[in-house]
Amino acid sequence: MAGQGPPPKKGAIRRQGRRGPIRRAEVVELPVATPDPPAPRSTWLAPIRRDWEAFWGGKLAPLLTDDDVPALRRLYDLRDERDRIRRVARGQYLVAGSKGQHALNPLLRQAQALDAEIRMLEDRFGLNPMARLRLGISLGQATRTLEDLWESFDSMPAHDAPDPRLHVVMDSDPAKGKDEPDA
């Protein structure tokens, strides 16, 4: 018969293909340790240093541990390098190629490559709205706790008129036939 096969496995373990058993995910609370804000590198451009200090004064900084600081520092190193490249290449989008032809400035290609790495690290640290949602960091009313939802239901005004569909449920008597009208 079509559609019949072995029943699904019970419990928390199931098997998918050749990958072996897969266990259901458990929610694990990660320790949140607020590291002391590290000083920005003195070699960074002033806007990058201001961005670094703004990050450590923001809402995402308490989610980081000391182990996260090197990757975050790498992000700001890349931002600094990109900004320096763009300052040098500003206004020089086309340069003379090896045979005298117009060619895209190679510095701009390097800046584009840095942008790709920067975006990847920004996503990992939740530095844009979509990345924060993927990481489960709430944005305003984007996520609400169950308790908040119950409070909002409790604060809703009660309706004075009963639901007009309620009589269908209340007047039904299983002892009566389907076609017998109520008395």
Side-chain angles (χ1 to χ4, degrees), residues 79-111:
R79 285 180 172 181
D80 183 70
E81 185 177 346
R82 181 207 45 211
D83 286 2
R84 288 176 188 276
I85 287 172
R86 291 198 181 218
R87 285 180 180 194
V88 170
R90 183 170 289 145
Q92 299 175 12
Y93 299 109
L94 295 177
V95 295
S98 62
K99 297 180 181 177
Q101 79 282 13
H102 291 294
L104 181 64
N105 191 334
L107 291 174
L108 295 177
R109 281 198 196 102
Q110 180 63 28

Side-chain angles (χ1 to χ4, degrees), residues 5 22 37 40 70 79 94 101-102 118 125-126 130 144 153 155 179:
I22 297 175
R79 285 180 172 181
L94 295 177
Q101 79 282 13
H102 291 294
I118 288 169
F125 284 105
M130 184 59 85
R144 296 172 65 185
F153 286 131
S155 65
D179 296 330

